[in-house]
Amino acid sequence: QAAQGLLQQLMDTEPMSLDAFLTQPAAGGPHGQTIADQVKELTAKTGENVALRNAVKYAPGRSGLVGLYLHHNHQVGVLVELECGSDGVARSSGARELARELALHIASADPLAVRAEDVPAEVIDRERRIAEEQVVQEGKPEAVRGKIVEGKLKKFLSERTLLHQPWVKDDKKAIGQLMDEVSRQVGTALTVTRFTRLKVGEA
């Protein structure tokens, strides 16, 4: 019930940062009570350490569409936004079904980004260092180490970026191929603009 109240307040306000949301006056609460105060009150009432770690709201334009997936145990949830090119396509059953399938896939496969170029540089640098250490430990000849490292990085990016991942419902088909198929069906290019995967206990 408390979570539903927080969700409703988020839906009734403009998209914002978590800090901005926490400092908002709590709807229906005593005068001066903020969302942060309300969360602290829940800790006192339940005896459990309750924390609001994230608050995300997508508000796409008329040609956009948001897919939603919430796992049955309410531990993992996903929002994914598609750009559909027109309001008509955004309301089509094909685009809506694709958005839901993508959200379900993201919940299961946990990609880091939509495309390889979207992966943060610090993540690439970390994986490169790991790969370099591995080839040294494996005793690979120095002349081929660079090529092996690049191969490992390419594999990492294909496994952790949405468009390159094998679809969880058909591992012979990449997500990018699935999107191309549905794009042809609806008559226009569909693109993923962003996604958020939330898991209980993670910031």
Side-chain angles (χ1 to χ4, degrees):
Q1 187 177 356
Q4 282 298 120
L6 292 173
L7 176 61
Q8 188 59 55
Q9 182 157 348
L10 180 65
M11 294 296 292
D12 291 341
T13 57
E14 292 300 316
M16 61 189 68
S17 68
L18 176 60
D19 288 341
F21 184 59
L22 288 170
T23 57
Q24 271 197 358
H31 178 70
Q33 185 185 52
T34 65
I35 294 291
D37 295 332
Q38 197 173 62
V39 172
K40 287 178 183 176
E41 193 175 88
L42 282 172
T43 295
K45 285 180 179 178
T46 63
E48 300 289 339
N49 185 22
V50 179
L52 181 59
R53 295 183 181 274
N54 216 326
V56 180
K57 178 180 176 180
Y58 283 5
R62 288 178 60 84
S63 62
L65 167 66
V66 175
L68 168 67
Y69 175 76
L70 181 62
H71 198 55
H72 62 84
N73 62 7
H74 289 205
Q75 297 293 300
V76 177
V78 173
L79 291 173
V80 58
E81 183 180 77
L82 295 184
E83 173 53 45
C84 303
S86 72
D87 180 46
V89 174
R91 289 187 285 107
S92 70
S93 59
R96 289 183 176 276
E97 180 61 23
L98 174 64
R100 172 167 164 70
E101 287 294 343
L102 291 176
L104 187 154
H105 171 90
I106 292 165
S108 174
D110 191 18
L112 291 173
V114 178
R115 303 163 190 82
E117 56 266 33
D118 300 328
V119 177
E122 59 268 24
V123 174
I124 300 290
D125 291 342
R126 182 195 69 204
E127 291 302 317
R128 187 183 299 279
R129 287 194 301 271
I130 291 172
E132 288 170 344
E133 290 171 4
Q134 286 175 341
V135 296
V136 170
Q137 290 172 0
E138 291 165 359
K140 301 295 184 183
E142 192 167 345
V144 298
R145 286 178 186 175
K147 187 175 181 179
I148 295 173
V149 167
E150 291 307 313
K152 287 177 177 288
L153 277 176
K154 185 176 180 180
K155 183 174 184 290
F156 168 78
L157 291 171
S158 70
E159 292 174 345
R160 299 305 307 276
T161 52
L162 177 63
L163 296 183
H164 292 95
Q165 286 181 326
W167 184 22
V168 293
K169 289 189 175 181
D170 180 358
D171 61 9
K172 294 181 176 61
K173 183 182 298 183
I175 289 296
Q177 292 174 300
L178 172 65
M179 294 197 63
D180 288 343
E181 287 181 7
V182 179
S183 293
R184 287 193 293 270
Q185 291 170 11
V186 300
T188 191
L190 304 174
T191 57
V192 178
T193 52
R194 55 181 172 163
F195 69 82
T196 300
R197 182 182 185 274
L198 301 174
K199 184 175 181 180
V200 172
E202 293 183 356

